[in-house]
Structures are given as C-alpha cells and as structure tokens.
Amino acid sequence: MITRAKVQLHTLLLLIIVVHFSQPVCVDVPSETEAVLGKPMKLTCISCMKREEVSARTRVDWYYLPKQDQNIIQDPIPIFVYKDGHPEETEGPWLGRLVWNGSQDLQDVSIRIRNVTFNDSGTYECQVFRKFEFDYFTPSVTETKVIELTVKEKASEDPAALYSEIMMYVLLVFLTFWLLVEMVYCYRKISKSDEQVQDTATNYLAIPSEHKDNPAAPVTE
C-alpha cells in the first residue's frame, strides 16, 4: 500500500509539472491568398509571443492598400481595428462584412470577410502593436504582415488536396484489406485449435479403458 501510494504521488507531481510548464503552441502560418466569389474568406495574421510576453497590451490595425498610381499616391485605408479587447469596424465598403476571427490569447489576430466580392481583391496589411508590461520598463514592438488577395468566380483545383484525397482512399482500402486478412487468419487459427482439441478428445475416447490412467485408489484406514 505504501509503495502504491508513493507511485500515485509521484505521478500526480509529474502531471502538475507538465501542466504548469506546458504552453499553447503558436505556429506562424501564412494566409490563404485566393477567395471565392460570394464565400467567406479568412485573412490570417499570426503574431506569436514568447512566454514572458503574454501580459502585453495589443492593438491590431487592418488596412487595405489601394493600387498606387505614378501620379496619385493613396494612403492605406483603415478597415478594421481591435483595441482594448473590442473589435471595431470602420466606414467604407467593408462595413458590416468584417468579423473578428482572432484567438483569446491574441496570437492569432485574423479577420474574416463575409460574402466576398470582386472589389475585395487587392493588398491587405495587418499591423500588430504590442506594449509589454515588465517590472521596470514597458517596451513596445510593431509587426506588419501583408496579404495579397485574389477573388475568383470558382475555386481552382488544388493538386496537393487531390493527391491527399487519393492517398486517403488508398490507405482506407489497404486497411480494409489488411483487416479482412487478419480476420481470416484468426478464424483459421481458432478453427484449427478447435479441431486439435476435438481430435485429442476423440483419440482419448478411442483408447481402451485398461490403457487409460487409473485414478489413484482411495486411502483407507
């Protein structure tokens, strides 16, 4: 009992240590750059933080960058703002069609476009401003990511997705065949074992009674 209690205590301590030191994994993945007309589209913007930076204050500004002309220089158009824990849309053709799609820890600061139109094609900029709150100083950092979005009437075929689907079906057929082979093998093995038991019982019954092992005679006083 003492040994079992020690093992359980050590296991509990190990689980506590693992949970304490484990942190959510942040993977910086690029955004999709192709949208389908009339469908929703996620503009992915990942800004990973280190463990000691989790307490930072975050502000996210999304801009649309018009095509620049040689004679006319246009400023970026603000289309979405996230600050103080609240998402805010700005005036313009995207009003009512942009939705906050970020994570709770603000490492994913993406937005989603509802009902994509051809006018949504163009360049988008995700600007992430973080102000860190350490004990003795409060540094800040700004990270900018650019997304080139193209809107098409129909989704183009992805060769990688088609290859993955084919491989999935091939693997499914292989696993089904392997399962059938295992079932047949196990059935034959069990049948052979039953036949051996039956043959042993038949041979035993065929032996004359005088050749069979006699049970020990009872002991009498």
Side-chain angles (χ1 to χ4, degrees), residues 89-109:
E89 291 185 84
T90 59
E91 297 294 334
W94 290 270
L95 184 62
R97 297 195 302 119
L98 297 180
V99 182
W100 175 252
N101 203 183
S103 60
Q104 187 175 2
D105 59 3
L106 297 181
Q107 301 199 83
D108 183 351
V109 292

Side-chain angles (χ1 to χ4, degrees), residues 121-139:
S121 295
T123 305
Y124 293 82
E125 185 178 273
C126 169
Q127 190 176 101
V128 184
F129 173 80
R130 298 192 192 277
K131 185 176 181 180
F132 304 109
E133 299 176 353
F134 297 118
D135 294 335
Y136 302 104
F137 61 103
T138 55

Side-chain angles (χ1 to χ4, degrees), residues 6-17:
K6 288 183 177 180
V7 172
Q8 292 177 350
L9 179 59
H10 292 166
T11 304
L12 180 59
L13 291 176
L14 180 61
L15 289 175
I16 293 175
I17 293 174

Side-chain angles (χ1 to χ4, degrees), residues 96-199:
R97 297 195 302 119
L98 297 180
V99 182
W100 175 252
N101 203 183
S103 60
Q104 187 175 2
D105 59 3
L106 297 181
Q107 301 199 83
D108 183 351
V109 292
S110 307
I111 59 175
R112 184 178 296 274
I113 306 176
R114 297 173 176 173
N115 191 19
V116 173
T117 66
F118 283 120
N119 292 330
D120 294 332
S121 295
T123 305
Y124 293 82
E125 185 178 273
C126 169
Q127 190 176 101
V128 184
F129 173 80
R130 298 192 192 277
K131 185 176 181 180
F132 304 109
E133 299 176 353
F134 297 118
D135 294 335
Y136 302 104
F137 61 103
T138 55
S140 60
V141 64
T142 301
E143 184 178 5
T144 302
K145 296 190 176 182
V146 177
I147 302 171
E148 297 287 344
L149 183 64
T150 303
V151 179
K152 297 185 177 181
E153 187 174 356
K154 294 182 180 180
S156 58
E157 296 183 359
D158 187 1
L162 180 61
Y163 177 77
S164 300
E165 186 175 357
I166 294 175
M167 291 301 298
M168 181 185 67
Y169 284 114
V170 171
L171 180 61
L172 182 61
V173 172
F174 172 77
L175 291 177
T176 303
F177 177 75
W178 177 79
L179 181 61
L180 290 175
V181 171
E182 287 293 324
M183 291 176 63
V184 172
Y185 173 77
C186 292
Y187 175 77
R188 289 184 176 180
K189 189 174 182 180
I190 293 174
S191 299
K192 185 176 181 181
S193 178
D194 292 341
E195 290 177 359
Q196 291 178 353
V197 172
Q198 187 175 2
D199 292 342

Side-chain angles (χ1 to χ4, degrees), residues 33 57 105 122 218:
T33 58
R57 297 180 58 184
D105 59 3

